[in-house]
Amino acid sequence: MMSVDGLMEGEFFMNGDDACAEGAIAAGCRFFAGYPITPATEVAERMSRRLPEVGGVYIQMEDEIASMNAILGASWAGVKSMTSTSGPGFSLMMENLGLGIMLETPCVLVNIQRAGPSTGIPTLIGQGDMMQARWGSHGHYEIIAVVPDSPQEMFDLTITAFNLSEQFRIPVLIMSDEVVGHMSEKVVMRQVAPEDLVTRPRPAVPPEEYSPYLSGDDLVPPMAVAGEGYRFHVTGLTHDERGYPVMTAEAQDKLVRRLVDKIRLNKKHILRMEEVGLDDAEIVVCAYGITSRVAKRAVQLARQEGIRAGLLRLIVVWPFPEERVRELAAQAGAFIVPEINYGQIVLEVERCAAGRARSILLPHMGGGVHHPETILEAIREAAV
Amino acid sequence: MIGTKTLTDNPVDLYLRADRMPHIWCSGCGVGPSVACFVKAIHRTGLDTDKIAIVSGIGCSGRVAGYVKVDSFHTTHGRAIPFATGLALANPELKVVVFSGDGDLAAIGGNHLIHAARRNIDMTVICYNNFNYGMTGGQLGPTTPLEAKSTTSPYGNCDPPFNLPHLVAACGASYVSRWTVIHPRQLEKSMAEALTKPGFTFVEVLGPCPTTYGRMNKLGRGVDELRAYQERCVVSNGVDPRDAEIGLNGPILVGNFVDLSRPTFWDHCVKIFGRAQKK
């Protein structure tokens, strides 16, 4: 059913892309700029239909570069904004993802991953953009990326993504995939209570005392928006607390440290993971997105065989849950990392395990998902 | 006191960030004078400066956003227009201005320029055209005249330029003009017209770049470039912009070329999105 203010409530049978769009609307997103691309087009299509119903604006831009910029502009006008894309479009968005990070602009970027490189297989799954999500824009930064495993999580985690982006003034990435985007399952939608919707920190001082990048202990500066009389200046150049360009190593040091540390030092507020049977696990399968659902089945089958296997499902993949992987490395003998690429997140697992546990990659080049038996066989081998 | 004059604040000081002076522009550059015309144009219109937002890209004129005391955004190379599109559509009460250079707007940002004009987004674009990439040291750009010298056309430019007023007029801009920095009155008036007219409005400002373009083409100092404009410019209000191509030599047509009314993108949004709300 639809509430009077146009939000959906109840149980629906819906695909992940549509659920993502509904999650955005429930989170208060009222501006979407995008460009058609398989397999993310359904997000844009639903937003084009739904945003006008709730008083929002949809615009189809000339490319993904423009889409990313338009959502930054909308955010600076005070409106929660989102774009969605897949591989080739994600590459084009990298330039201004960096601008969003530098200006500290809340917004959400959805990547329904398909198989690459280049045009790859537009209609079939890949998880090959995980490191691009981490490092794809130039310069050194931290990012937040969430990975849904179901249409339900496409709804729920889109709300989470908006909340994190507003709380930490950073673009948040939803690193979904073609299978989760296109599969239809039950999705329970709810209206989000106003107190559960985070809004960006706002200036508490009059315009003449306002510095756009002066922050307190949480390192997140209050954000004025255009049209309120603050007459602020912001720039993609290295800048001081006033937002003015300063071309020195000292200013660079201060700014980049804060941009990175506001995520690193607030990790405990950001990290989310699901753990299955890890208490006594000797074999830890570390997986994310659709692959984690296959892994969950393999872990169940292994337990039935008496193997002490468990699952660490990454819900927030960036920042990476280093401490938890370190703890598990002290307890378990091996990590098995199935992913639909030729080894990306396994590198992080290996780094954190630091030789205390083996890290075994189970790669799939894309175009399909792992078979539970493949992961089960790897668990059996590792348990020997 | 007799014989002395009391200095009063300049009325346009209000619109500039005094704490950022001195600016970065070279002696003889025309960006500063075009900014002077721009802030006078704001003053002339009486627009609420709390509701003006300026967006710039990258380059010498990309620095304008940093000196004007309104909400201002210095974005990435070529991307000022799509950033401004988001601002304008998310808050239609804003008067959104893009102030940037010819290379930024017409080369790397050329796709955004033509689409914003096609959509007739409520936005004023001021393009400072100095016929080359100044900040990077004088390379050829999308407006460099044929045969002109630059650091990347040492034998002369073989890359035919855009005629920007013709380009944006053909794409659907509501207002199109071209002036130079030696036409401060006309330029200020034209900027004021552009700022107050609904839809996509475009003002091309021709100005000297003695440090790079002028030096490589032996145009002398900034003031000599200005003299050349004085000699070459022909005021041609209302002329078909297709006839306003700029060569290495010969006349330069300046004036207010296009001034028409057509529904803006936002007008269409209000009408068509309204159908969804009536359901």
Side-chain angles (χ1 to χ4, degrees):
Chain A
M1 64 170 247
M2 189 99 77
S3 71
V4 281
D5 46 4
L7 301 182
M8 295 182 76
E9 268 185 289
E11 293 183 3
F12 300 86
F13 188 64
M14 183 177 279
N15 74 34
D17 283 358
D18 285 334
C20 175
E22 289 300 333
I25 287 166
C29 172
R30 293 295 178 270
F31 184 91
F32 183 97
Y35 188 84
I37 188 165
T38 305
T41 304
E42 293 88 342
V43 181
E45 286 177 337
R46 194 173 186 98
M47 291 304 261
S48 75
R49 186 160 63 81
R50 292 282 285 125
L51 276 176
E53 291 178 348
V54 295
V57 175
Y58 169 91
I59 183 169
Q60 193 160 303
M61 297 300 288
E62 52 274 18
D63 57 31
E64 289 89 345
I65 300 171
S67 303
M68 187 67 215
N69 276 280
I71 69 165
L72 297 180
S75 183
W76 279 99
V79 176
K80 290 184 183 178
S81 60
M82 182 170 95
T83 187
S84 64
T85 190
S86 189
F90 196 54
S91 294
L92 289 183
M93 288 181 183
M94 287 298 114
E95 177 194 54
N96 296 285
L97 175 66
L99 181 65
I101 291 163
M102 194 64 148
L103 301 187
E104 302 184 62
T105 310
C107 60
V108 172
L109 194 174
V110 184
N111 180 0
I112 311 295
Q113 294 179 83
R114 65 193 220 187
S118 191
T119 311
I121 311 180
T123 54
L124 295 176
I125 186 174
Q127 290 182 321
D129 306 345
M130 300 308 293
M131 279 295 176
Q132 187 182 17
R134 177 65 189 85
W135 299 109
S137 196
H138 55 277
H140 199 108
Y141 57 91
E142 285 279 342
I143 193 75
I144 298 176
V146 301
V147 193
D149 74 344
S150 62
Q152 181 66 56
E153 273 200 350
M154 288 291 269
F155 180 82
D156 295 333
L157 284 184
T158 301
I159 297 168
T160 303
F162 272 98
N163 280 347
L164 290 169
S165 80
E166 293 283 322
Q167 184 176 357
F168 296 105
R169 285 190 59 181
I170 191 170
V172 172
L173 310 177
I174 298 178
M175 296 299 291
S176 187
D177 61 64
E178 184 274 329
V179 173
V180 169
H182 280 166
M183 68 158 62
S184 288
E185 286 185 330
K186 184 172 91 171
V187 178
V188 181
M189 293 194 209
R190 61 196 155 79
Q191 286 205 40
V192 189
E195 60 270 23
D196 293 332
L197 285 181
V198 180
T199 49
R200 59 196 70 173
R202 305 280 290 138
V205 295
E208 58 277 13
E209 291 169 29
Y210 176 62
S211 276
Y213 294 109
L214 184 62
S215 64
D217 291 343
D218 66 352
L219 306 181
V220 185
M223 181 173 174
V225 300
E228 293 182 322
Y230 281 87
R231 303 196 190 192
F232 56 82
H233 178 64
V234 295
T235 173
L237 288 166
T238 294
H239 47 265
D240 62 15
E241 289 164 347
R242 298 169 301 168
Y244 290 174
V246 182
M247 303 294 100
T248 64
E250 291 75 20
Q252 172 76 2
D253 183 90
K254 194 172 177 192
L255 176 62
V256 175
R257 275 183 197 277
R258 186 177 61 74
L259 290 177
V260 167
D261 287 345
K262 78 173 175 180
I263 302 304
R264 282 190 187 170
L265 303 181
N266 285 309
K267 241 177 164 178
K268 63 176 182 295
H269 304 297
I270 299 169
L271 287 177
R272 283 155 178 78
M273 62 199 95
E274 181 191 357
E275 305 193 353
V276 180
L278 287 183
D279 287 350
D280 63 343
E282 291 175 339
I283 312 292
V284 176
V285 181
C286 178
Y288 53 93
I290 190 63
T291 312
S292 66
R293 294 176 63 160
V294 183
K296 198 178 275 182
R297 176 67 182 149
V299 165
Q300 279 172 356
L301 294 171
R303 283 277 169 178
Q304 284 168 16
E305 294 179 11
I307 301 171
R308 280 156 57 187
L311 171 69
L312 174 66
R313 175 164 81 92
L314 308 178
I315 298 173
V316 169
V317 71
W318 305 121
F320 193 74
E322 294 164 329
E323 291 76 10
R324 187 66 184 122
V325 173
R326 271 188 212 118
E327 285 166 15
L328 289 167
Q331 161 197 328
F335 289 96
I336 294 173
V337 186
E339 49 184 342
I340 305 176
N341 57 51
Y342 211 167
Q344 295 192 12
I345 296 303
V346 70
L347 301 173
E348 284 293 276
V349 173
E350 197 172 348
R351 175 176 70 82
C352 298
R356 279 174 296 169
R358 284 185 295 151
S359 299
I360 301 160
L361 168 68
L362 276 188
H364 189 306
M365 298 312 138
V369 299
H370 292 74
H371 195 284
E373 190 65 34
T374 310
I375 301 175
L376 178 62
E377 190 51 40
I379 294 172
R380 287 188 192 123
E381 280 174 25
V384 173
Chain B
M1 209 188 295
I2 296 166
T4 65
K5 191 178 165 191
T6 305
L7 287 174
T8 54
D9 290 342
N10 188 315
V12 298
D13 280 354
L14 194 63
Y15 306 104
L16 295 169
R17 295 183 191 275
D19 58 343
R20 291 225 46 216
M21 298 298 155
H23 57 67
I24 63 157
W25 297 307
C26 304
S27 150
C29 172
V31 178
S34 64
V35 173
C37 291
F38 175 64
V39 293
K40 285 182 204 159
I42 293 176
H43 190 67
R44 176 194 278 256
T45 62
L47 286 166
D48 177 1
T49 43
D50 282 350
K51 299 292 178 196
I52 298 177
I54 297 187
V55 188
S56 289
I58 297 296
C60 298
S61 30
R63 291 301 192 97
V64 169
Y67 298 117
V68 182
K69 199 171 179 183
V70 297
D71 294 328
S72 54
F73 301 88
H74 182 218
T75 66
T76 41
H77 197 22
R79 316 302 175 208
I81 286 177
F83 192 102
T85 299
L87 272 173
L89 296 180
N91 184 357
E93 286 182 11
L94 294 174
K95 174 68 229 181
V96 178
V97 182
V98 168
F99 203 130
S100 219
D102 52 305
D104 182 84
L105 289 166
I108 188 166
N111 198 31
H112 311 308
L113 176 70
I114 61 176
H115 285 278
R118 166 180 68 82
R119 295 184 178 111
N120 205 25
I121 299 274
D122 273 311
M123 173 190 299
T124 295
V125 175
I126 295 169
C127 175
Y128 183 79
N129 179 1
N130 56 12
F131 304 103
N132 78 140
Y133 288 93
M135 189 165 270
T136 46
Q139 296 74 36
L140 75 89
T143 55
T144 308
L146 273 175
E147 300 286 352
K149 298 278 176 60
S150 73
T151 62
T152 48
S153 57
Y155 308 108
N157 179 25
C158 55
D159 192 343
F162 270 137
N163 167 354
L164 293 178
H166 180 40
L167 175 70
V168 294
C171 294
S174 290
Y175 181 93
V176 182
S177 70
R178 172 195 285 156
W179 294 100
T180 80
V181 293
I182 60 152
H183 299 90
R185 288 168 193 277
Q186 296 97 322
L187 178 58
E188 178 196 322
K189 187 158 176 286
S190 177
M191 285 174 164
E193 285 172 7
L195 286 168
T196 48
K197 188 173 176 66
F200 186 87
T201 61
F202 184 85
V203 179
E204 182 183 26
V205 186
L206 306 182
C209 178
T211 304
T212 58
Y213 184 78
R215 177 172 54 80
M216 282 177 292
N217 290 285
K218 301 193 168 24
L219 300 177
R221 296 175 301 156
V223 69
D224 301 315
E225 261 189 79
L226 294 178
R227 264 190 215 106
Y229 282 130
Q230 197 172 20
E231 286 159 16
R232 293 178 62 192
C233 284
V234 181
V235 176
S236 315
N237 288 313
V239 78
D240 186 336
R242 79 173 62 228
D243 299 325
E245 282 191 14
I246 300 174
L248 189 58
N249 301 299
I252 296 171
L253 304 192
V254 295
N256 301 325
F257 299 143
V258 174
D259 188 350
L260 51 83
S261 290
R262 80 181 176 98
T264 68
F265 185 88
W266 188 248
D267 292 336
H268 292 301
C269 284
V270 169
K271 181 178 154 210
I272 293 171
F273 288 176
R275 291 172 194 160
Q277 283 156 7
K278 283 188 197 115
K279 272 203 306 199

